[in-house]
Amino acid sequence: MNDNPLMRRLKFRAWHRGTREADYTVGGFFERYHASWNDEQIAWFERFMDEQDADIIGWALGTIAVPEEWKGPMMDQFLKLDFVKIEN
């Protein structure tokens, strides 16, 4: 991944969202799944990075509905939140 400028940029954006909660959620999702993404999934994630943190966290927590444009396998994977590490 270090040789791919797009993936380096996406990793940075995923971990530097602006709120700690979004950093862990989006960054954790990226870390867990990016290695297996195809071009279509990478494009989805790149568009996802343009969404507001409040919306992303609301979708993740189920406090707001996921818009139709984001529904699908990638969002299903994201909503599992099984990639978020909670340290004691």
Side-chain angles (χ1 to χ4, degrees):
M1 181 187 74
N2 292 336
D3 294 338
N4 184 328
L6 172 60
M7 296 307 281
R8 283 197 316 261
R9 182 171 45 85
L10 289 176
K11 179 178 181 174
F12 181 86
R13 289 183 66 199
W15 281 107
H16 296 88
R17 299 290 305 165
T19 65
R20 176 173 264 171
E21 295 83 358
D23 289 350
Y24 284 126
T25 306
V26 178
F29 180 70
F30 177 86
E31 292 296 335
R32 174 81 190 281
Y33 294 110
H34 80 276
S36 65
W37 289 343
N38 60 33
D39 290 342
E40 182 180 327
Q41 292 166 315
I42 291 168
W44 181 95
F45 189 75
E46 192 169 19
R47 288 189 315 273
F48 190 63
M49 292 291 85
D50 292 334
E51 293 295 327
Q52 297 294 315
D53 287 353
D55 292 334
I56 290 173
I57 295 300
W59 301 335
L61 297 176
T63 57
I64 58 176
V66 175
E68 284 298 320
E69 69 184 281
W70 291 111
K71 290 183 180 179
M74 288 286 283
M75 183 57 75
D76 292 344
Q77 213 170 36
F78 178 75
L79 294 178
K80 288 180 186 176
L81 295 177
D82 61 350
F83 49 84
V84 176
K85 295 179 183 177
I86 300 174
E87 299 177 14
N88 295 329

